[in-house]
Amino acid sequence: MTAARQGLTGLLDTEAIRKDFPVLERLVHDDRKLVYLDNAATSQTPRQVLDVLAEYYEQHNANVHRGVHVLAEEATALYEGARDKIAAFINAPSRDEVIFTKNASESLNLVANMLGWADEPYRVDQDTEVVITEMEHHSNIVPWQLLSQRTGAKLKWFGLTDDGRLDLSSIDEVITEKTKIVSFVLVSNILGTANPVEQIVRRAQEVGALVLIDASQAAPHMPLDVQALGADFVAFTGHKMLGPTGIGVLWGRQELLEDLPPFLGGGEMIETVSMHSSTYAPAPHKFEAGTPPISQAVGLGAAVDYLNAIGMDKIAQHEHVLTRYAVERLREVPDLRIIGPDTAEDRGAAISFTLGDIHPHDVGQVLDELGIAVRVGHHCARPVCLRYGIPATTRASFYLYSTPAEIDALVDGLEHVRNFFG
Amino acid sequence: MTAARQGLTGLLDTEAIRKDFPVLERLVHDDRKLVYLDNAATSQTPRQVLDVLAEYYEQHNANVHRGVHVLAEEATALYEGARDKIAAFINAPSRDEVIFTKNASESLNLVANMLGWADEPYRVDQDTEVVITEMEHHSNIVPWQLLSQRTGAKLKWFGLTDDGRLDLSSIDEVITEKTKIVSFVLVSNILGTANPVEQIVRRAQEVGALVLIDASQAAPHMPLDVQALGADFVAFTGHKMLGPTGIGVLWGRQELLEDLPPFLGGGEMIETVSMHSSTYAPAPHKFEAGTPPISQAVGLGAAVDYLNAIGMDKIAQHEHVLTRYAVERLREVPDLRIIGPDTAEDRGAAISFTLGDIHPHDVGQVLDELGIAVRVGHHCARPVCLRYGIPATTRASFYLYSTPAEIDALVDGLEHVRNFFG
Amino acid sequence: MYQDVILDHYKNPHGRGLRDGDAEVHHVNPTCGDEITLRVKYEGERIADVSYEGQGCSISQASASVLNDLLVGKDLAEAQKIQGLFLELMQSKGRIEPDDAMEEALEDAVAFAGVSKYPARVKCALLSWMAWKDATAQAFAEEAKTA
Amino acid sequence: MYQDVILDHYKNPHGRGLRDGDAEVHHVNPTCGDEITLRVKYEGERIADVSYEGQGCSISQASASVLNDLLVGKDLAEAQKIQGLFLELMQSKGRIEPDDAMEEALEDAVAFAGVSKYPARVKCALLSWMAWKDATAQAFAEEAKTA
Ligand SMILES: Cc1ncc(COP(=O)(O)O)c(C=O)c1O
Ligand SMILES: Cc1ncc(COP(=O)(O)O)c(C=O)c1O
């Protein structure tokens, strides 16, 4: 074990990084050091982000836009400055293409609703089709089920291969001339699979369908370039990338944001209102009704600063090395079955598995008693569990502060679990 | 002036209270102490709430629900504990009637969308009518305009009297058997008017219409009892009541929440999902798709603790005394015209006015140079400006930490404005 | 939380397997995928058998085994009292420290007291009990119809 | 931000009132309700008059007055250069410190440099200038049609 660990190169200086995260000092169950391996559910928040949040409330808090007093101007500059930071982070052609939402789920619902109320050529109605995949998070399934129930559109999806990849063998039958939108996850939160964007985008473009990419598990972990992806919309969420809860992002191509109708109506999203009719502000404001999550956007901006300072390339490499090590070590555990790709290639740093017929709830609970936090259940991707005939999985997921020693602790913990229920 | 000020009784101990609000120590424009009179736009945040937010991230941060590790259980207990606090704060019959949203605007849109997709008897369609008022915030106008455009329902509204009150003289013609919902503001953010709930609710109940009350400017300032109001839904927003940005509340009657369809789809709001269909969790979760604004809900819970410790009755009294004093003193300013009720009766602590033909932008800007923060513009209630034939107003709005001395500073400032542009 | 008693029942479940019954129900805990199929057999008011098949975590499996131990042979009224007591214990959030009377009534089931501190697991412990309640209601509804 | 020059123009606007013109536009700043109606009169390429009526804040009113001062009598090309320079100044977020060349070109309009620090007010300062640009485009489009 130590031998394998010593051979690892390309890791970040986690000792320094971990000092920025107060919660990682937390002791649980009296005296156990927390081993936090639940990063696909939510990430922890560094001091640098917390400081920015505190400073926002202690120095600059005001409602944004249109204020002529100092605080309002400062808060607006901070909020809009955060938009600039996010735009740069994802290489958006324009800052006005970055919409702040409350989470990735709202971002995904926003697109589904835009298309439901859109005019031609975007309108989703009973003569059209919507394509998703069997590995989507519920937040990228249910909005499309609702849309298809409400418009009569047909919902189709790509199935999965036995080794946890998209089955694209019949891509030309799934994505057709009737397809209005293809929405899929860049990196699966349950399988870890990283999907072949290019092939899907190419086919979608062939038939003139829009593409929405759920990058919730990608934006935190690798360089993200919305122009290189070639998609029309990209959604992600702040709390998984060192940011606060309560903030999500939808990036969309400018022409589309101009053409598509608004979703939530209210203050901030209007140009002018009379009782009889209203006109809407240009994007992104058109899609940001009401007082936005101001401090949360500012906090997400600080998170992006933090990530940039370390370097997304380096973070991706760190996680890749960890994932390879984890896959190797997990293979040593008898009766452990990885659900999803069982190598470190083309996958993210979330690894789901089953352990004999010990129920994941029991695995998770016993690990918790050792201070090891993993997630158990269907991970909001129940169709994947159905597909592989399992009720649930245990999932360990890593981030920039995760260490090989934590993976060793996990493996030791799993041995303990086996003995405990053996 | 000092004579009048000395006669004021019933005020809170603002000297003690102000110590809890770091931003009130802020100096602006080099050396001017901030006089923050923009509370109707957003309130400031006390140390007690900021401490809870910091503690959340430093000790307990995790995604909520279904986690079996310590952090997840703590975060869930904190999040659901906040729901208990809000339920008690508004005297909700059940905690499950409290839905967390991102702001009041989402809460209002949520109701509009529920009704648009509802089955009978709630469904809003082309044969039905929706009633609002001319003093609504854009967030309680635009969702209904969108709904009426999309369903064909007729949008009707109560007009305003010259002294800034609802004109209910033809209430029986406005609210009819065709009315499905009446949505109105409890306290106007631009006029300050407090509306006669009972009369409207009585008529709505007579015809079987639902009632939605926008309590965004009420919840922060007075005791709120959803059962006493007799409404079916009540919406408000966290950032106006000492809470963080990014959190709103919708309270709704349990039977309605059970019967009405979901709005946003995704994680957390489901019971079980397959690719073919899904079933939904019971309320409130049914309406909370995705990772909720966890820390923001917890922060709002702390804000409610703070408000309770001072006492909503006392806060209401404090503001009433201040408002009476402010109305009196503002009347001394030549050419000043209050837009809205010009007494302190049946009104909240937001006072809009015009000052001769000096544009509100100029009024606000010159006040800002004196350190006085007011809001200028249409305050997201443009129909009110149209109604009174003015382009905009200047608005001063008070809260529990506001003082008579700040009102004196405002009045002095307005004199300065007059001289400056005179 | 994992008392030896619970582990024993999990590893060696009592009365597991489906046998003849008056009514059968299938319950699922959607959040974790725990499932149980459960049958009840009454002789008049007396519980002649509770048989079950299921999959799930140790808590849900052990709880079904304990239920079988506790309820088979009891009268309905007594069984309902036990069920009520167990429900109360499970909803206590760890606040009830079982006393002698409770131990006497609940026997091995008091070992689940610790589970009540874990909100995510309470449903697991209750799964078979809710299924039993449901099956019983159905059995007597059937009987009422045929009577 | 309120330079004396600006206040002077606000209190005593130059060229205010609507007179004969080749084209008329009406512009509104929806966020604050500032409005302007503006007419341009050309003699060939030369700006013979810019007349206007409006309501709004001191910045928008003074800016229209300064525009009238600066542009009337100029050739279109020169006026466009001035307009471009003013736009640049207003979008500078306070980062441009007007030098002698700029002062010579913009005259009283350099007094608005301070306004550029206030994003909420930049639109006010630009209202009349955008209206002028629009009216000019219309005037020449008209001319092209009738030519
Ligand atoms: C009366 C009223 N309703 C609704 C809102 C909207 O609140 P939010 O912007 O938090 O969605 C506001 C505040 O802006 C308001 O004053
Ligand atoms: C792949 C994926 N998509 C969408 C989501 C939804 O994100 P949120 O819960 O922040 O809305 C998540 C996380 O839960 C996710 O992992």
Side-chain angles (χ1 to χ4, degrees), chain C residues 5-49:
Chain C
V5 177
I6 294 180
L7 286 178
D8 283 348
H9 277 278
Y10 171 56
K11 291 177 191 167
N12 303 297
H14 302 179
R16 193 182 169 98
L18 285 174
R19 294 172 295 277
D20 184 34
D22 306 324
E24 173 182 312
V25 297
H26 180 73
H27 275 210
V28 177
N29 177 346
T31 61
C32 61
D34 283 357
E35 291 189 30
I36 193 162
T37 306
L38 181 145
R39 290 185 191 157
V40 288
K41 172 96 194 135
Y42 280 86
E43 279 164 3
E45 292 279 310
R46 196 179 144 274
I47 301 173
D49 194 11

Short mmCIF file of all heavy atoms in Angstrom, two decimals, chain C residues 5-49:
data_model
loop_
_atom_site.label_atom_id
_atom_site.label_comp_id
_atom_site.label_asym_id
_atom_site.label_seq_id
_atom_site.Cartn_x
_atom_site.Cartn_y
_atom_site.Cartn_z
N VAL C 5 -27.60 -7.49 18.87
CA VAL C 5 -28.93 -8.05 18.64
C VAL C 5 -29.37 -7.81 17.19
O VAL C 5 -29.89 -8.71 16.51
CB VAL C 5 -29.96 -7.40 19.59
CG1 VAL C 5 -31.35 -7.94 19.30
CG2 VAL C 5 -29.56 -7.60 21.04
N ILE C 6 -29.13 -6.60 16.71
CA ILE C 6 -29.53 -6.26 15.35
C ILE C 6 -28.73 -7.09 14.34
O ILE C 6 -29.27 -7.68 13.41
CB ILE C 6 -29.36 -4.74 15.09
CG1 ILE C 6 -30.32 -3.95 15.98
CG2 ILE C 6 -29.56 -4.41 13.62
CD1 ILE C 6 -30.25 -2.45 15.82
N LEU C 7 -27.42 -7.16 14.57
CA LEU C 7 -26.58 -7.92 13.65
C LEU C 7 -26.98 -9.39 13.63
O LEU C 7 -27.01 -10.03 12.57
CB LEU C 7 -25.11 -7.77 14.03
CG LEU C 7 -24.49 -6.42 13.67
CD1 LEU C 7 -23.03 -6.35 14.14
CD2 LEU C 7 -24.56 -6.17 12.16
N ASP C 8 -27.31 -9.92 14.82
CA ASP C 8 -27.74 -11.32 14.87
C ASP C 8 -28.98 -11.56 14.02
O ASP C 8 -29.05 -12.50 13.23
CB ASP C 8 -28.05 -11.74 16.32
CG ASP C 8 -26.75 -11.98 17.11
OD1 ASP C 8 -25.68 -12.04 16.48
OD2 ASP C 8 -26.83 -12.07 18.35
N HIS C 9 -29.97 -10.69 14.22
CA HIS C 9 -31.20 -10.84 13.43
C HIS C 9 -30.93 -10.69 11.94
O HIS C 9 -31.54 -11.36 11.12
CB HIS C 9 -32.25 -9.82 13.89
CG HIS C 9 -33.04 -10.24 15.09
ND1 HIS C 9 -34.12 -11.09 15.02
CD2 HIS C 9 -32.89 -9.95 16.40
CE1 HIS C 9 -34.61 -11.28 16.23
NE2 HIS C 9 -33.87 -10.60 17.10
N TYR C 10 -30.01 -9.77 11.61
CA TYR C 10 -29.67 -9.55 10.21
C TYR C 10 -29.04 -10.82 9.62
O TYR C 10 -29.42 -11.26 8.52
CB TYR C 10 -28.71 -8.36 10.10
CG TYR C 10 -28.11 -8.14 8.75
CD1 TYR C 10 -28.92 -7.97 7.61
CD2 TYR C 10 -26.72 -8.05 8.58
CE1 TYR C 10 -28.35 -7.75 6.37
CE2 TYR C 10 -26.16 -7.82 7.35
CZ TYR C 10 -26.97 -7.67 6.24
OH TYR C 10 -26.41 -7.44 5.01
N LYS C 11 -28.10 -11.38 10.37
CA LYS C 11 -27.39 -12.55 9.83
C LYS C 11 -28.25 -13.81 9.87
O LYS C 11 -28.14 -14.68 9.02
CB LYS C 11 -26.08 -12.75 10.59
CG LYS C 11 -25.08 -11.61 10.27
CD LYS C 11 -23.78 -11.74 11.06
CE LYS C 11 -22.95 -10.47 10.91
NZ LYS C 11 -21.83 -10.40 11.87
N ASN C 12 -29.10 -13.93 10.87
CA ASN C 12 -29.97 -15.10 11.00
C ASN C 12 -31.41 -14.67 11.19
O ASN C 12 -31.93 -14.69 12.30
CB ASN C 12 -29.53 -15.96 12.20
CG ASN C 12 -28.09 -16.37 12.06
OD1 ASN C 12 -27.72 -17.08 11.12
ND2 ASN C 12 -27.24 -15.88 12.96
N PRO C 13 -32.04 -14.24 10.12
CA PRO C 13 -33.40 -13.70 10.24
C PRO C 13 -34.40 -14.78 10.66
O PRO C 13 -34.31 -15.92 10.18
CB PRO C 13 -33.70 -13.18 8.84
CG PRO C 13 -32.75 -13.88 7.95
CD PRO C 13 -31.55 -14.24 8.73
N HIS C 14 -35.31 -14.40 11.52
CA HIS C 14 -36.32 -15.33 11.99
C HIS C 14 -37.56 -15.28 11.11
O HIS C 14 -38.06 -14.19 10.83
CB HIS C 14 -36.73 -15.00 13.45
CG HIS C 14 -35.57 -15.02 14.39
ND1 HIS C 14 -35.67 -14.73 15.74
CD2 HIS C 14 -34.24 -15.30 14.19
CE1 HIS C 14 -34.49 -14.83 16.30
NE2 HIS C 14 -33.59 -15.15 15.39
N GLY C 15 -38.03 -16.44 10.72
CA GLY C 15 -39.31 -16.52 10.00
C GLY C 15 -39.29 -15.98 8.60
O GLY C 15 -40.33 -15.70 8.00
N ARG C 16 -38.12 -15.82 8.04
CA ARG C 16 -38.03 -15.29 6.69
C ARG C 16 -38.56 -16.30 5.67
O ARG C 16 -38.55 -17.51 5.91
CB ARG C 16 -36.56 -15.01 6.37
CG ARG C 16 -36.35 -14.18 5.14
CD ARG C 16 -34.86 -13.98 4.88
NE ARG C 16 -34.68 -13.42 3.57
CZ ARG C 16 -34.49 -12.13 3.33
NH1 ARG C 16 -34.40 -11.29 4.35
NH2 ARG C 16 -34.37 -11.67 2.10
N GLY C 17 -39.05 -15.83 4.55
CA GLY C 17 -39.64 -16.71 3.53
C GLY C 17 -41.13 -16.45 3.47
O GLY C 17 -41.73 -16.01 4.45
N LEU C 18 -41.71 -16.65 2.30
CA LEU C 18 -43.15 -16.39 2.15
C LEU C 18 -43.93 -17.66 2.35
O LEU C 18 -43.64 -18.70 1.75
CB LEU C 18 -43.42 -15.80 0.76
CG LEU C 18 -42.99 -14.34 0.60
CD1 LEU C 18 -43.17 -13.89 -0.84
CD2 LEU C 18 -43.78 -13.43 1.55
N ARG C 19 -44.91 -17.58 3.26
CA ARG C 19 -45.78 -18.73 3.52
C ARG C 19 -47.22 -18.29 3.28
O ARG C 19 -47.49 -17.13 2.95
CB ARG C 19 -45.56 -19.21 4.95
CG ARG C 19 -44.14 -19.80 5.17
CD ARG C 19 -43.85 -20.12 6.61
NE ARG C 19 -43.81 -18.95 7.47
CZ ARG C 19 -42.73 -18.14 7.63
NH1 ARG C 19 -41.61 -18.38 6.99
NH2 ARG C 19 -42.80 -17.11 8.43
N ASP C 20 -48.09 -19.19 3.48
CA ASP C 20 -49.52 -18.94 3.27
C ASP C 20 -50.00 -17.75 4.11
O ASP C 20 -49.52 -17.54 5.23
CB ASP C 20 -50.26 -20.23 3.69
CG ASP C 20 -51.74 -20.10 3.41
OD1 ASP C 20 -52.08 -19.44 2.42
OD2 ASP C 20 -52.52 -20.67 4.20
N GLY C 21 -50.91 -16.94 3.56
CA GLY C 21 -51.37 -15.77 4.33
C GLY C 21 -52.73 -15.30 3.88
O GLY C 21 -53.26 -15.74 2.85
N ASP C 22 -53.34 -14.38 4.66
CA ASP C 22 -54.65 -13.82 4.32
C ASP C 22 -54.51 -12.58 3.42
O ASP C 22 -55.45 -12.20 2.73
CB ASP C 22 -55.40 -13.40 5.58
CG ASP C 22 -55.51 -14.53 6.59
OD1 ASP C 22 -55.66 -15.68 6.14
OD2 ASP C 22 -55.44 -14.26 7.80
N ALA C 23 -53.36 -11.96 3.53
CA ALA C 23 -53.16 -10.75 2.72
C ALA C 23 -51.66 -10.56 2.50
O ALA C 23 -50.85 -10.96 3.33
CB ALA C 23 -53.75 -9.52 3.42
N GLU C 24 -51.33 -9.93 1.35
CA GLU C 24 -49.92 -9.70 1.04
C GLU C 24 -49.73 -8.24 0.60
O GLU C 24 -50.56 -7.70 -0.13
CB GLU C 24 -49.47 -10.63 -0.10
CG GLU C 24 -48.06 -10.31 -0.61
CD GLU C 24 -47.62 -11.20 -1.77
OE1 GLU C 24 -47.78 -12.43 -1.67
OE2 GLU C 24 -47.12 -10.65 -2.78
N VAL C 25 -48.67 -7.64 1.07
CA VAL C 25 -48.37 -6.28 0.60
C VAL C 25 -46.90 -6.21 0.18
O VAL C 25 -46.08 -7.03 0.61
CB VAL C 25 -48.60 -5.20 1.69
CG1 VAL C 25 -50.06 -5.14 2.11
CG2 VAL C 25 -47.70 -5.43 2.90
N HIS C 26 -46.63 -5.20 -0.66
CA HIS C 26 -45.25 -4.96 -1.10
C HIS C 26 -44.92 -3.49 -0.80
O HIS C 26 -45.58 -2.60 -1.32
CB HIS C 26 -45.15 -5.25 -2.60
CG HIS C 26 -43.77 -5.04 -3.14
ND1 HIS C 26 -42.72 -5.89 -2.89
CD2 HIS C 26 -43.27 -4.06 -3.92
CE1 HIS C 26 -41.63 -5.46 -3.48
NE2 HIS C 26 -41.94 -4.34 -4.12
N HIS C 27 -43.96 -3.27 0.05
CA HIS C 27 -43.60 -1.88 0.38
C HIS C 27 -42.16 -1.58 -0.06
O HIS C 27 -41.30 -2.45 0.01
CB HIS C 27 -43.73 -1.64 1.89
CG HIS C 27 -45.11 -1.27 2.31
ND1 HIS C 27 -45.39 -0.47 3.39
CD2 HIS C 27 -46.32 -1.59 1.79
CE1 HIS C 27 -46.70 -0.33 3.51
NE2 HIS C 27 -47.29 -0.99 2.57
N VAL C 28 -41.98 -0.33 -0.49
CA VAL C 28 -40.67 0.11 -0.96
C VAL C 28 -40.30 1.41 -0.26
O VAL C 28 -41.16 2.26 -0.05
CB VAL C 28 -40.70 0.35 -2.49
CG1 VAL C 28 -39.35 0.87 -2.98
CG2 VAL C 28 -41.09 -0.91 -3.22
N ASN C 29 -39.07 1.54 0.10
CA ASN C 29 -38.57 2.82 0.59
C ASN C 29 -37.82 3.46 -0.58
O ASN C 29 -36.70 3.07 -0.90
CB ASN C 29 -37.64 2.56 1.78
CG ASN C 29 -37.03 3.84 2.29
OD1 ASN C 29 -37.08 4.87 1.63
ND2 ASN C 29 -36.43 3.77 3.47
N PRO C 30 -38.47 4.43 -1.23
CA PRO C 30 -37.89 4.90 -2.50
C PRO C 30 -36.53 5.56 -2.33
O PRO C 30 -35.74 5.57 -3.25
CB PRO C 30 -38.93 5.90 -3.01
CG PRO C 30 -39.77 6.27 -1.83
CD PRO C 30 -39.69 5.13 -0.86
N THR C 31 -36.25 6.08 -1.16
CA THR C 31 -34.97 6.80 -1.05
C THR C 31 -33.79 5.84 -1.03
O THR C 31 -32.69 6.21 -1.40
CB THR C 31 -34.91 7.70 0.19
OG1 THR C 31 -35.07 6.90 1.36
CG2 THR C 31 -35.99 8.76 0.14
N CYS C 32 -33.96 4.60 -0.58
CA CYS C 32 -32.80 3.72 -0.54
C CYS C 32 -33.04 2.39 -1.24
O CYS C 32 -32.14 1.56 -1.32
CB CYS C 32 -32.37 3.47 0.89
SG CYS C 32 -33.62 2.68 1.87
N GLY C 33 -34.24 2.17 -1.74
CA GLY C 33 -34.48 0.95 -2.48
C GLY C 33 -34.79 -0.26 -1.61
O GLY C 33 -34.89 -1.37 -2.12
N ASP C 34 -34.91 -0.09 -0.29
CA ASP C 34 -35.33 -1.21 0.55
C ASP C 34 -36.71 -1.69 0.12
O ASP C 34 -37.60 -0.88 -0.14
CB ASP C 34 -35.42 -0.78 2.03
CG ASP C 34 -34.04 -0.68 2.68
OD1 ASP C 34 -33.04 -1.00 2.02
OD2 ASP C 34 -33.99 -0.28 3.86
N GLU C 35 -36.85 -3.02 0.07
CA GLU C 35 -38.14 -3.57 -0.36
C GLU C 35 -38.55 -4.69 0.56
O GLU C 35 -37.70 -5.44 1.05
CB GLU C 35 -38.02 -4.18 -1.76
CG GLU C 35 -37.82 -3.17 -2.84
CD GLU C 35 -37.93 -3.81 -4.21
OE1 GLU C 35 -38.68 -4.80 -4.34
OE2 GLU C 35 -37.27 -3.32 -5.13
N ILE C 36 -39.84 -4.85 0.75
CA ILE C 36 -40.31 -6.01 1.49
C ILE C 36 -41.65 -6.48 0.91
O ILE C 36 -42.48 -5.67 0.51
CB ILE C 36 -40.45 -5.70 3.00
CG1 ILE C 36 -40.63 -7.02 3.79
CG2 ILE C 36 -41.61 -4.75 3.28
CD1 ILE C 36 -40.34 -6.87 5.26
N THR C 37 -41.78 -7.80 0.82
CA THR C 37 -43.08 -8.40 0.53
C THR C 37 -43.47 -9.14 1.80
O THR C 37 -42.66 -9.90 2.34
CB THR C 37 -42.98 -9.40 -0.64
OG1 THR C 37 -42.40 -8.72 -1.74
CG2 THR C 37 -44.35 -9.94 -1.01
N LEU C 38 -44.66 -8.87 2.30
CA LEU C 38 -45.03 -9.41 3.61
C LEU C 38 -46.45 -9.94 3.59
O LEU C 38 -47.34 -9.36 2.97
CB LEU C 38 -44.87 -8.28 4.65
CG LEU C 38 -45.17 -8.58 6.12
CD1 LEU C 38 -44.23 -7.81 7.03
CD2 LEU C 38 -46.62 -8.23 6.45
N ARG C 39 -46.61 -11.13 4.24
CA ARG C 39 -47.95 -11.73 4.33
C ARG C 39 -48.33 -11.93 5.79
O ARG C 39 -47.48 -12.27 6.62
CB ARG C 39 -47.97 -13.11 3.66
CG ARG C 39 -47.85 -13.03 2.15
CD ARG C 39 -48.00 -14.39 1.54
NE ARG C 39 -47.64 -14.33 0.13
CZ ARG C 39 -47.23 -15.38 -0.57
NH1 ARG C 39 -47.14 -16.58 0.00
NH2 ARG C 39 -46.93 -15.25 -1.84
N VAL C 40 -49.61 -11.72 6.08
CA VAL C 40 -50.10 -12.00 7.44
C VAL C 40 -51.14 -13.11 7.37
O VAL C 40 -51.90 -13.23 6.40
CB VAL C 40 -50.76 -10.77 8.10
CG1 VAL C 40 -49.71 -9.74 8.48
CG2 VAL C 40 -51.82 -10.16 7.20
N LYS C 41 -51.13 -13.92 8.42
CA LYS C 41 -52.12 -15.01 8.52
C LYS C 41 -52.77 -14.89 9.89
O LYS C 41 -52.07 -14.84 10.92
CB LYS C 41 -51.38 -16.35 8.39
CG LYS C 41 -52.23 -17.56 8.65
CD LYS C 41 -52.74 -18.13 7.34
CE LYS C 41 -53.86 -19.13 7.59
NZ LYS C 41 -54.99 -18.92 6.67
N TYR C 42 -54.10 -14.71 9.90
CA TYR C 42 -54.81 -14.58 11.18
C TYR C 42 -55.63 -15.83 11.45
O TYR C 42 -56.16 -16.46 10.52
CB TYR C 42 -55.71 -13.35 11.16
CG TYR C 42 -54.94 -12.07 11.42
CD1 TYR C 42 -54.32 -11.39 10.39
CD2 TYR C 42 -54.80 -11.60 12.73
CE1 TYR C 42 -53.58 -10.25 10.63
CE2 TYR C 42 -54.06 -10.45 12.98
CZ TYR C 42 -53.45 -9.78 11.93
OH TYR C 42 -52.71 -8.67 12.19
N GLU C 43 -55.70 -16.15 12.74
CA GLU C 43 -56.72 -17.13 13.18
C GLU C 43 -57.61 -16.36 14.10
O GLU C 43 -57.27 -16.13 15.27
CB GLU C 43 -56.05 -18.31 13.90
CG GLU C 43 -55.47 -19.33 12.92
CD GLU C 43 -54.50 -20.27 13.60
OE1 GLU C 43 -54.32 -20.16 14.83
OE2 GLU C 43 -53.90 -21.10 12.89
N GLY C 44 -58.74 -15.92 13.59
CA GLY C 44 -59.57 -15.00 14.37
C GLY C 44 -58.77 -13.73 14.60
O GLY C 44 -58.27 -13.12 13.64
N GLU C 45 -58.62 -13.32 15.84
CA GLU C 45 -57.87 -12.11 16.18
C GLU C 45 -56.40 -12.42 16.43
O GLU C 45 -55.61 -11.52 16.71
CB GLU C 45 -58.46 -11.49 17.45
CG GLU C 45 -59.86 -10.92 17.30
CD GLU C 45 -59.84 -9.52 16.68
OE1 GLU C 45 -59.07 -8.67 17.17
OE2 GLU C 45 -60.59 -9.29 15.70
N ARG C 46 -56.05 -13.70 16.37
CA ARG C 46 -54.69 -14.09 16.72
C ARG C 46 -53.81 -14.15 15.46
O ARG C 46 -54.21 -14.66 14.41
CB ARG C 46 -54.73 -15.47 17.39
CG ARG C 46 -53.44 -15.80 18.13
CD ARG C 46 -53.54 -17.18 18.80
NE ARG C 46 -52.23 -17.84 18.72
CZ ARG C 46 -51.81 -18.56 17.68
NH1 ARG C 46 -52.60 -18.76 16.66
NH2 ARG C 46 -50.61 -19.10 17.70
N ILE C 47 -52.60 -13.60 15.60
CA ILE C 47 -51.67 -13.62 14.47
C ILE C 47 -51.03 -15.00 14.39
O ILE C 47 -50.22 -15.37 15.25
CB ILE C 47 -50.58 -12.55 14.65
CG1 ILE C 47 -51.22 -11.16 14.76
CG2 ILE C 47 -49.57 -12.59 13.49
CD1 ILE C 47 -50.25 -10.05 15.11
N ALA C 48 -51.41 -15.74 13.34
CA ALA C 48 -50.88 -17.09 13.20
C ALA C 48 -49.49 -17.08 12.56
O ALA C 48 -48.63 -17.88 12.89
CB ALA C 48 -51.84 -17.93 12.36
N ASP C 49 -49.28 -16.11 11.66
CA ASP C 49 -47.96 -16.05 11.01
C ASP C 49 -47.75 -14.68 10.37
O ASP C 49 -48.70 -14.00 9.96
CB ASP C 49 -47.86 -17.14 9.92
CG ASP C 49 -46.40 -17.36 9.45
OD1 ASP C 49 -45.48 -16.83 10.12
OD2 ASP C 49 -46.21 -18.06 8.44
#
